[in-house]
Amino acid sequence: MPPQHLKKYKAYPTVDLLDRQWPNRRITEAPIWCSVDLRDGNQALSTPMNIEQKLTMFTLLVEIGFKEIEVGFPSASQLEFDFIRTLIEKKLIPDDVTIQVLTQAREHLIVRSMDSLRGAKRAVVHMYNSTSPAQREIVFGKTKDEIKAIAVEGTRLIKSLAEQMGDTEIGYEYSPESFTATELDYALEICQAVIDTWHPTTDHPIVINLPSTVELSTPNIYADRIEWFGRHIKPREAIIISVHTHNDRGCAVAAAELAVMGGAQRVEGALFGNGERSGNMDLLTMALNLYAQGVDCKLNLSNMPHIAEVYQQCTGMDIHPRHPWVGDLVYTAFSGSHQDAIQKGLKHHAEHPRDYWDVPYIPIEPSDIGRTFEGVIRINSQSGKGGVSYILEKEVGIQIPKWMQPDFGLAVQKISDSTRRELQPSEIHDAFDRTYLLNDNLLKKYKIVSGSSTTSLEAEVVIDGRPVAFNAEGNGPVDAFIAGVAQVAGVHVAVTNYAEHALTKGADAQAIAFVEVIANGRVVYGAGSDPNISAASIKAVVSAINRI
Ligand code: KIV
Ligand code: ZN
């Protein structure tokens, strides 16, 4: 980008708020959530949802636990209008859920929007008009006072129509659209005029929504603006300050979080951050951010695979595999050092149950959101011995001792290097069998006779492709075997490490033995499996010798 292009852009103004309080605050409870999936999210889709998809999405939002749902823009199309009528006429809105509709501040659109709500128990009318200099001057050609008059007139009309809605209780939300590009004092002035027209009370508060229609600054400046606004707007106790952030700079969630620290009580957003341009604020990320800090997010996200599936089916949008908290790959490690730490962390967690979760690289327990440890560790050429051993233990219960893990890790790495792709758990198991256990079959026959002080062994074995048979003695079966092999095959073996464990329980219980041996001056590893533990040990030595 040529440097002269930089002249086209200017820095965003800061807020004069030296005693800002938000940096020292924590979020200790969930804000009031409002989903705008069916309006802002929907209007950003190349193919907007049809009525059936909107109904499915509405059901999902209710299941998740949203109590405020912006269901559409009824004056924008017949489909939008009909969807809202369907919700109301088919009585699909639970008593504790409030629907809301968006309207521009124009008389016929307001009237049509109010009409869409007839018969609902309770609903919020959300009116907006654009307030930034570019919108005022270029788009509408109006002065500040004229723009303010539009907001006030629209509010007055909604107020009078609300009084004629019979049993339908109407709440009101006002948004100075393009708030982030609007002079802060002017945004305050226009919102104050709206509030003074509506006359909210503590029992019937107004929602003032301060959208980051386009994200133009770092989140700290947005938080400053929210805190400043909250200090000046009146009567504060009758106003719910809401934020609605977009993700142009990639900080929509951070901006909403800091805004809540700055005093916002309500947050609008969409599932998986769907929405215009780079999206709306992702409700799931913000909720799980709270959850991961031990704060009740007041949403039920325990079946994330279901949420993801319904979302994709309704919107036709993909979910990035690295999407925070929920992407397919976010609970997966390919890198060796990560795998090692995760494996140790999980083992430690299982062996030392504690009240809190502390597993490296996995900030929440995946099962909390319906994910499993399936695939937490996956194997490619970047993976380490720890990950490979973890998979083998999970897949078939084989616990390779620590001292043998590098040997098997290397064997697996050779395969993934040559295939240049991820290896499936069954392929890791296969690699173990081919590396060690197929060699143990080379013990063709054996007979152990244990005496009081020595063991004698009669064996027939294939070593280096050559069948050999012998009778030998030692102070145990392995010792006798080693002595025999030295006599008849001239292979001199010393066992330097040994481990064994049971593989399965019950009638066909198998044992598996692992050995590290020095054979003819080289360190080699072997494994053997057999229902008889002595045979498994001998097979492990055979396996090692045949790997020299
Ligand atoms: O982003 C925005 O400003 C909006 C308003 C209509 C609230 O979606
Ligand atoms: Zn928006």
Side-chain angles (χ1 to χ4, degrees), residues 36 39-40 43 211-213 244 246 276 280:
V36 295
R39 195 277 299 171
D40 217 350
Q43 74 188 40
S212 174
T213 304
H244 170 121
H246 279 269
E276 301 278 13
N280 276 86

Side-chain angles (χ1 to χ4, degrees), residues 52 121 124 218 269 310 414 426 526:
E52 205 185 311
K121 190 170 167 225
V124 167
T218 47
V310 176
K414 274 191 194 142
S426 60

Side-chain angles (χ1 to χ4, degrees), residues 39-40 43 102 126 128 175 177-178 209 211-213 244 246 268:
R39 195 277 299 171
D40 217 350
Q43 74 188 40
L102 184 74
H126 176 187
Y128 74 96
S175 291
E177 205 245 26
S178 61
N209 186 47
S212 174
T213 304
H244 170 121
H246 279 269
E268 294 190 347

Side-chain angles (χ1 to χ4, degrees), residues 196-213:
D196 295 344
T197 307
W198 187 259
H199 298 298
T201 62
T202 321
D203 290 340
H204 293 99
I206 187 172
V207 176
I208 294 292
N209 186 47
L210 303 174
S212 174
T213 304

